[in-house]
Coordinates of all heavy atoms in Angstrom, one line a residue:
I242 N -2.0 9.8 -11.0 CA -1.5 9.4 -9.7 C -2.5 8.6 -8.9 O -2.2 7.6 -8.3 CB -1.0 10.7 -8.9 CG1 -0.2 10.2 -7.6 CG2 -2.0 11.7 -8.6 CD1 1.1 9.5 -7.9
G243 N -3.8 9.0 -9.0 CA -4.8 8.3 -8.3 C -5.0 6.8 -8.8 O -5.0 5.9 -8.0
H244 N -5.0 6.7 -10.1 CA -5.0 5.3 -10.7 C -3.8 4.5 -10.3 O -3.9 3.3 -9.9 CB -5.0 5.4 -12.2 CG -6.3 5.8 -12.8 ND1 -7.4 4.9 -13.0 CD2 -6.8 7.0 -13.2 CE1 -8.4 5.6 -13.5 NE2 -8.1 6.9 -13.6
L245 N -2.6 5.1 -10.4 CA -1.4 4.4 -10.0 C -1.4 3.9 -8.6 O -1.1 2.8 -8.3 CB -0.2 5.3 -10.3 CG 1.2 4.7 -10.0 CD1 1.4 3.5 -11.0 CD2 2.3 5.7 -10.1
R246 N -1.9 4.8 -7.7 CA -1.9 4.4 -6.3 C -2.9 3.2 -6.1 O -2.7 2.3 -5.3 CB -2.3 5.6 -5.4 CG -1.2 6.6 -5.4 CD -1.3 7.6 -4.2 NE -0.1 8.4 -4.2 CZ -0.2 9.7 -4.1 NH1 -1.3 10.4 -4.1 NH2 0.9 10.4 -4.1
T247 N -4.0 3.3 -6.8 CA -5.0 2.2 -6.6 C -4.4 0.9 -7.1 O -4.5 -0.1 -6.4 CB -6.3 2.5 -7.4 OG1 -6.7 3.9 -7.1 CG2 -7.4 1.6 -7.1
M248 N -3.8 0.9 -8.3 CA -3.2 -0.3 -8.9 C -2.1 -0.9 -8.0 O -1.9 -2.1 -8.0 CB -2.6 0.0 -10.2 CG -3.6 0.1 -11.4 SD -2.7 0.2 -12.9 CE -1.9 1.8 -12.8
T249 N -1.3 0.0 -7.3 CA -0.1 -0.5 -6.6 C -0.3 -0.5 -5.1 O 0.7 -0.5 -4.4 CB 1.1 0.3 -7.0 OG1 0.8 1.7 -6.7 CG2 1.4 0.3 -8.5
S250 N -1.5 -0.4 -4.7 CA -1.8 -0.4 -3.2 C -1.1 0.8 -2.6 O -0.5 0.6 -1.5 CB -1.5 -1.7 -2.5 OG -1.8 -2.8 -3.3
G251 N -1.0 1.9 -3.3 CA -0.4 3.1 -2.7 C 1.1 3.2 -2.7 O 1.7 4.1 -2.2
R252 N 1.8 2.2 -3.4 CA 3.2 2.2 -3.3 C 3.9 2.7 -4.6 O 5.1 2.9 -4.7 CB 3.7 0.7 -3.0 CG 3.5 0.3 -1.6 CD 3.4 -1.2 -1.5 NE 4.6 -1.8 -1.7 CZ 4.7 -3.1 -2.1 NH1 3.7 -3.8 -2.3 NH2 5.9 -3.6 -2.4
G253 N 3.1 3.0 -5.7 CA 3.7 3.4 -6.9 C 4.0 4.9 -6.9 O 3.3 5.7 -6.1
Q254 N 5.0 5.3 -7.6 CA 5.3 6.8 -7.8 C 5.5 7.1 -9.2 O 5.9 6.1 -10.0 CB 6.6 7.1 -7.0 CG 6.5 7.1 -5.6 CD 7.9 7.4 -5.0 OE1 8.9 7.1 -5.6 NE2 7.9 8.0 -3.8
F255 N 5.4 8.3 -9.7 CA 5.8 8.6 -11.1 C 6.2 10.0 -11.2 O 5.9 10.9 -10.3 CB 4.6 8.3 -12.0 CG 3.7 9.4 -12.3 CD1 3.7 10.1 -13.4 CD2 2.7 9.8 -11.3 CE1 2.8 11.2 -13.7 CE2 1.9 10.8 -11.5 CZ 1.9 11.5 -12.7
S256 N 6.9 10.3 -12.2 CA 7.2 11.7 -12.6 C 7.2 11.8 -14.1 O 7.4 10.9 -14.8 CB 8.6 12.1 -12.0 OG 9.6 11.6 -12.9
M257 N 6.9 13.0 -14.6 CA 6.9 13.2 -16.0 C 7.3 14.6 -16.4 O 7.2 15.5 -15.6 CB 5.5 12.9 -16.6 CG 4.4 13.9 -16.2 SD 2.9 13.4 -17.1 CE 1.8 14.7 -16.6
E258 N 7.9 14.7 -17.6 CA 8.2 16.0 -18.1 C 8.0 16.0 -19.6 O 8.0 15.0 -20.3 CB 9.7 16.4 -17.8 CG 10.7 15.4 -18.3 CD 12.1 15.8 -17.8 OE1 12.4 17.0 -17.9 OE2 12.9 15.0 -17.4
F259 N 7.9 17.2 -20.2 CA 7.6 17.3 -21.6 C 8.7 16.8 -22.4 O 9.9 17.0 -22.1 CB 7.3 18.8 -21.9 CG 7.2 19.0 -23.4 CD1 6.1 18.6 -24.2 CD2 8.2 19.7 -24.1 CE1 6.1 18.8 -25.5 CE2 8.1 19.9 -25.5 CZ 7.1 19.5 -26.2
S260 N 8.4 16.0 -23.5 CA 9.5 15.5 -24.4 C 9.4 16.1 -25.8 O 10.3 16.8 -26.2 CB 9.4 14.0 -24.4 OG 10.2 13.4 -25.3
H261 N 8.3 15.9 -26.5 CA 8.2 16.4 -27.9 C 6.8 16.4 -28.4 O 5.9 15.9 -27.6 CB 9.1 15.5 -28.8 CG 8.7 14.0 -28.8 ND1 9.2 13.2 -27.8 CD2 7.9 13.3 -29.6 CE1 8.7 12.0 -28.0 NE2 7.9 12.0 -29.0
Y262 N 6.5 16.8 -29.6 CA 5.2 16.8 -30.1 C 5.1 15.7 -31.2 O 6.0 15.4 -31.9 CB 4.8 18.1 -30.8 CG 4.3 19.2 -29.9 CD1 5.2 20.1 -29.3 CD2 3.0 19.2 -29.5 CE1 4.7 21.1 -28.4 CE2 2.5 20.2 -28.6 CZ 3.4 21.1 -28.1 OH 2.9 22.1 -27.2
L263 N 3.9 15.0 -31.2 CA 3.7 14.0 -32.3 C 2.2 14.2 -32.8 O 1.4 14.7 -32.1 CB 3.8 12.6 -31.7 CG 5.2 12.0 -31.6 CD1 5.0 10.5 -31.0 CD2 5.9 11.9 -32.9
P264 N 2.0 13.7 -34.1 CA 0.6 13.9 -34.6 C -0.4 13.1 -33.8 O -0.1 12.0 -33.3 CB 0.8 13.2 -36.0 CG 2.2 13.3 -36.3 CD 2.9 13.2 -35.0
C265 N -1.6 13.7 -33.7 CA -2.7 13.1 -33.0 C -3.3 12.0 -33.9 O -3.5 12.3 -35.1 CB -3.8 14.1 -32.7 SG -3.5 15.2 -31.4
P266 N -3.8 10.9 -33.3 CA -4.6 10.0 -34.1 C -5.9 10.6 -34.5 O -6.4 11.6 -33.9 CB -4.9 8.8 -33.1 CG -4.0 9.0 -32.0 CD -3.6 10.4 -31.9
Q267 N -6.4 10.2 -35.7 CA -7.6 10.8 -36.3 C -8.8 11.0 -35.3 O -9.3 12.1 -35.2 CB -8.1 10.0 -37.5 CG -9.1 10.6 -38.4 CD -8.6 12.0 -39.0 OE1 -7.5 12.1 -39.3 NE2 -9.5 13.0 -39.1
N268 N -9.1 9.9 -34.5 CA -10.2 10.0 -33.6 C -10.0 11.1 -32.5 O -11.0 11.8 -32.1 CB -10.6 8.6 -33.0 CG -9.4 8.1 -32.2 OD1 -8.2 8.4 -32.5 ND2 -9.7 7.3 -31.2
V269 N -8.8 11.2 -32.0 CA -8.5 12.2 -31.0 C -8.6 13.6 -31.6 O -9.2 14.5 -31.0 CB -7.1 12.0 -30.4 CG1 -6.7 13.1 -29.4 CG2 -7.0 10.6 -29.7
A270 N -8.1 13.7 -32.8 CA -8.1 15.1 -33.4 C -9.5 15.5 -33.6 O -9.9 16.7 -33.4 CB -7.4 15.0 -34.8
E271 N -10.4 14.6 -34.1 CA -11.8 14.9 -34.3 C -12.5 15.4 -33.1 O -13.2 16.4 -33.1 CB -12.6 13.7 -34.9 CG -12.2 13.6 -36.4 CD -12.7 12.2 -37.0 OE1 -13.4 11.5 -36.3 OE2 -12.4 11.9 -38.2
Q272 N -12.2 14.7 -32.0 CA -12.8 15.0 -30.7 C -12.4 16.4 -30.2 O -13.2 17.2 -29.8 CB -12.4 14.0 -29.6 CG -13.2 14.0 -28.4 CD -12.7 13.0 -27.4 OE1 -12.0 12.1 -27.7 NE2 -13.0 13.3 -26.1
V273 N -11.0 16.7 -30.4 CA -10.5 18.0 -29.9 C -11.1 19.1 -30.7 O -11.6 20.2 -30.2 CB -9.0 18.0 -30.1 CG1 -8.4 19.4 -29.8 CG2 -8.3 17.0 -29.1
I274 N -11.2 18.9 -32.1 CA -11.8 19.9 -32.9 C -13.3 20.2 -32.6 O -13.7 21.4 -32.5 CB -11.7 19.5 -34.4 CG1 -10.2 19.5 -34.8 CG2 -12.4 20.5 -35.4 CD1 -9.9 18.7 -36.1
A275 N -14.0 19.1 -32.3 CA -15.4 19.3 -31.9 C -15.5 20.1 -30.6 O -16.4 20.9 -30.4 CB -16.0 17.9 -31.7
E276 N -14.6 19.8 -29.6 CA -14.6 20.5 -28.3 C -14.4 22.0 -28.5 O -15.0 22.8 -27.9 CB -13.6 19.9 -27.3 CG -14.0 18.6 -26.7 CD -12.9 18.0 -25.8 OE1 -11.9 18.7 -25.6 OE2 -13.1 16.8 -25.4
V277 N -13.4 22.3 -29.4 CA -13.1 23.7 -29.6 C -14.3 24.4 -30.2 O -14.7 25.5 -29.8 CB -11.9 23.8 -30.6 CG1 -11.7 25.3 -31.0 CG2 -10.6 23.3 -29.8
A278 N -15.0 23.7 -31.2 CA -16.1 24.3 -31.9 C -17.2 24.6 -30.8 O -17.9 25.6 -30.9 CB -16.6 23.4 -33.0
E279 N -17.4 23.6 -29.9 CA -18.4 23.7 -28.9 C -18.2 24.9 -28.0 O -19.1 25.7 -27.7 CB -18.4 22.4 -28.1 CG -19.5 22.3 -27.0 CD -20.9 22.3 -27.5 OE1 -21.1 21.8 -28.7 OE2 -21.8 22.8 -26.8
R280 N -16.9 25.1 -27.6 CA -16.5 26.2 -26.7 C -16.8 27.5 -27.4 O -17.3 28.5 -26.8 CB -15.0 26.1 -26.3 CG -14.7 25.2 -25.2 CD -13.6 25.7 -24.3 NE -12.3 25.8 -25.0 CZ -11.5 24.8 -25.2 NH1 -11.8 23.6 -24.8 NH2 -10.4 24.9 -25.9
K281 N -16.5 27.6 -28.7 CA -16.7 28.9 -29.5 C -18.2 29.2 -29.5 O -18.6 30.3 -29.4 CB -16.1 28.8 -30.9 CG -14.5 28.9 -30.8 CD -13.9 29.1 -32.2 CE -12.5 29.4 -32.0 NZ -11.7 29.0 -33.1
K282 N -19.0 28.1 -29.7 CA -20.4 28.3 -29.9 C -21.0 28.9 -28.6 O -21.8 29.8 -28.6 CB -21.1 27.0 -30.2 CG -22.4 27.1 -30.9 CD -22.9 25.8 -31.5 CE -23.9 25.2 -30.6 NZ -24.3 23.8 -31.0
K283 N -20.5 28.3 -27.4 CA -21.0 28.7 -26.1 C -20.6 30.2 -25.9 O -21.4 31.0 -25.4 CB -20.3 27.9 -25.0 CG -21.1 26.8 -24.5 CD -20.6 26.2 -23.2 CE -21.1 24.8 -22.9 NZ -20.2 24.0 -22.2
A284 N -19.4 30.5 -26.3 CA -18.9 31.9 -26.1 C -19.7 32.9 -27.0 O -19.6 34.1 -26.8 CB -17.4 32.0 -26.4
G285 N -20.3 32.3 -28.0 CA -21.2 33.1 -28.8 C -20.5 34.1 -29.8 O -21.0 35.1 -30.1

């Protein structure tokens, strides 16, 4: 919402709702898996 307001001088609006699940691209998946591993390591 912050980006949209900046781009449209405060006049843009948006709404969203859940639609469906789709496969993650490889680079996104790798990043998510790394974050999960990091969280587990911290939790010890």
Side-chain angles (χ1 to χ4, degrees):
I242 188 68
H244 284 277
L245 181 65
R246 288 197 176 131
T247 311
M248 278 187 299
T249 58
S250 323
R252 289 155 64 205
Q254 288 176 331
F255 88 105
S256 77
M257 67 175 182
E258 59 183 314
F259 171 69
S260 173
H261 56 279
Y262 277 96
L263 275 185
C265 284
Q267 192 59 37
N268 59 333
V269 176
E271 282 166 7
Q272 194 183 340
V273 173
I274 293 164
E276 280 174 13
V277 170
E279 181 65 27
R280 276 215 299 278
K281 283 191 171 152
K282 202 166 103 189
K283 264 194 196 151

